[in-house]
Amino acid sequence: MSYTIQGRTGDWELVVGLEVHAQVISKAKLFSGAATAFGADPNSQVSYVDAAFPGMLPVVNRFCVEQAVRTGLGLAAHINPVSRFDRKNYFYADLPQGYQISQFDHPIVGTGTIEIELADGSTRQIGVTRLHLEQDAGKSIHDQHPTKSLIDLNRAGVALMEIVSEPDIRSPEEAGAYLRKLRSILRYLGTCDGNMEEGSMRADVNVSVRKHGEPYRTRCEVKNVNSVRFVMQAIEAEAMRQVEIWESGGTVEQETRLFDPGRGETRSMRSKEDAHDYRYFPDPDLPPLVLDEAWIETLRANLPELPDAKKARFMREYGLSPYDAGVLVAEQATAQFYETVARGRDAKIAANWVTGDFFAALNRTGRSIEDPPVTATALGQLLDLMADGTINGRIAKDVFEAMVDTGKAPAAIVEEKGLRQVTDTGAIEAAVDAILAANAGKVAEYRGGKDKLFGFFVGQTMKAMAGKGNPALINETLKRKLAG
Ligand code: MN
């Protein structure tokens, strides 16, 4: 089902392209040896190059180049063997050079694709136009002093990958799916941590609207949106604004806007510059970046298994639904956790436990998959106790809760609390007899045709056995006695 915006003059189609700035995971900056750790004291990670002292020369960081190439390979993109660094000239107080070193018409990575999955289970290919390397700027701080703005250059010169999509996105949901998928791929590759709160991934959102079948109309860019949810909200707000302008006879002007999450609206920041305003020209301090084909192939051969391939394998090897497989592969650590639990066990039961009780426990305890409240090994042991009949499924839920609370092994909890499943037919018969005797009226109703009461007898018997009865034996015994 396609997404449309209903206006007074009929339906409008949404057209969105995303430009994502992703901070490269690297200990040093793109053109200097200064550190990049988040949260350091202001201006403590600034080299003379970053501060643009006269005569300082940039030297490209090979590792950052490698990270960009690996990202390009992970996006199934064309790697350009020759690319170039250019100066993008503009003045800002947190940009001491007076220009940003970026890549203009010869980016390091060309066209690629990202496959997105939507809630209805369908998939779409979103085109990636390019990926280029560039420097981040410093940070201006306006709220620490009553009359002065402060500058922190720690971030100045940190390597960014700007990943530009084609205007292929047609709904807020698709934009969200694109960002989540891109973040997942970057995290698998270890090229960006995808942490939007710390600003290591930020999105510029290009939005326009048109009537179906029309060429593109003027777009506006909503700058620096820092969460998936805000991106989706910004798109909706901006699209509505544009529809209202067009429908009231006005014209949308190309401009850069900001999203205000508090008010749920975008507002104008500045009229949009064109590329020529920046006077791009090749940086004379940096030679063209020439990549060795054999080196690119080595990087390609050493890529990890990425989310799409892993999802396909989980569906094939473990018989999982596309949905379950998608949830389990979103994070590499989750996929690894699942595989440890599933190996040599019933893979679907393992998936249900990981995405059900285990995810709920992560939420409740506020812990992460890297530091889980129950290890994959321990969860596997719990599944084994169910598989060999030591405990039933109902008791397993209680044992799992006790594992979360105490950190003890499942077998120890079962012994300590006496939770072994009762499979002794004598004990089950005695419990069933007692329940039937105590509920003679209901037995008569059941025998008179009220089949639904069967569940009541099962529940009562299980309760009388403190949840430890073997469900299959209880069912069988009840059926036999109620028939007689
Ligand atoms: Mn940029």
Side-chain angles (χ1 to χ4, degrees), residues 70 73-75 181 183-190 299-318 325 328-340 343:
R70 291 180 69 247
L73 293 170
L75 300 175
K181 186 58 166 290
R183 182 167 60 187
S184 174
I185 293 170
L186 296 172
R187 288 167 59 93
Y188 264 69
L189 292 164
L299 295 179
R300 190 194 304 277
N302 288 296
L303 288 181
E305 182 184 39
L306 291 169
D308 289 340
K310 202 183 279 289
K311 181 183 172 187
R313 181 169 66 78
F314 277 21
M315 290 167 63
R316 195 175 63 239
E317 275 182 20
Y318 300 120
L328 289 168
V329 306
E331 294 284 341
Q332 209 166 19
T334 308
Q336 200 182 337
F337 186 98
Y338 168 71
E339 289 207 87
T340 306
R343 199 164 294 132

Side-chain angles (χ1 to χ4, degrees), residues 19-21 88 100 102 132 134-135 160-163 204 223 280:
E19 296 171 21
V20 172
H21 284 92
K88 180 182 184 181
Q100 175 192 36
S102 180
H132 67 253
E134 63 184 26
Q135 302 173 296
L160 301 177
M161 298 179 284
E162 182 173 332
I163 302 161
D204 299 342
K223 207 80 185 149
Y280 279 99

Side-chain angles (χ1 to χ4, degrees), residues 36 47 50 70 85 94 129 159 172-173 175 189 193 209 233 278 298 322 361 367 369 433 440 468:
T36 60
S47 78
D50 309 321
R70 291 180 69 247
F85 289 106
D94 56 25
T129 314
E173 186 202 0
L189 292 164
D193 66 22
V209 296
Q233 290 172 359
Y278 291 113
T298 308
R367 287 169 70 170
I369 186 79
D433 285 342
K468 294 184 286 186

Side-chain angles (χ1 to χ4, degrees), residues 115-304:
E115 182 175 285
I116 59 168
E117 290 130 66
L118 302 169
D120 65 2
S122 63
T123 58
R124 278 199 69 208
Q125 307 290 327
I126 305 296
V128 171
T129 314
R130 58 185 280 160
L131 176 157
H132 67 253
L133 274 170
E134 63 184 26
Q135 302 173 296
D136 205 350
K139 193 166 82 176
S140 298
I141 303 158
H142 305 295
D143 57 3
Q144 303 277 309
H145 191 279
T147 57
K148 295 184 169 67
S149 283
L150 306 177
I151 305 284
D152 176 8
L153 292 180
N154 280 353
R155 222 171 58 186
V158 164
L160 301 177
M161 298 179 284
E162 182 173 332
I163 302 161
V164 181
S165 87
E166 292 290 312
D168 288 346
I169 294 165
R170 290 290 175 274
S171 69
E173 186 202 0
E174 289 184 9
Y178 174 91
L179 286 172
R180 282 192 297 269
K181 186 58 166 290
L182 173 59
R183 182 167 60 187
S184 174
I185 293 170
L186 296 172
R187 288 167 59 93
Y188 264 69
L189 292 164
T191 56
C192 170
D193 66 22
N195 190 332
M196 294 187 89
E197 297 81 64
E198 290 179 4
S200 46
M201 196 172 136
R202 323 190 273 274
D204 299 342
V205 191
N206 287 292
V207 180
S208 66
V209 296
R210 65 174 174 183
K211 293 286 177 121
H212 288 273
E214 272 187 356
Y216 295 136
R217 295 196 184 199
T218 310
R219 64 187 161 88
C220 287
E221 181 181 27
V222 186
K223 207 80 185 149
N224 271 332
V225 190
N226 64 359
S227 86
V228 174
R229 193 163 50 91
F230 290 164
V231 166
M232 294 168 71
Q233 290 172 359
I235 290 171
E236 260 184 274
E238 177 57 17
M240 278 314 298
R241 187 188 72 88
Q242 293 182 14
V243 165
E244 276 160 26
I245 291 174
W246 290 121
E247 291 197 328
S248 59
T251 304
V252 171
E253 301 292 336
Q254 183 175 333
E255 61 181 353
T256 299
R257 301 179 66 86
L258 284 177
F259 179 61
D260 180 340
R263 312 179 73 147
E265 60 187 31
T266 66
R267 59 185 154 80
S268 185
M269 182 184 170
R270 57 174 188 250
S271 66
K272 173 72 183 172
E273 307 79 0
D274 283 318
H276 62 253
D277 294 321
Y278 291 113
R279 304 299 299 265
Y280 279 99
F281 65 88
D283 192 308
D285 292 337
L286 289 158
L289 187 58
V290 181
L291 306 178
D292 177 32
E293 296 283 355
W295 179 70
I296 297 171
E297 290 315 310
T298 308
L299 295 179
R300 190 194 304 277
N302 288 296
L303 288 181

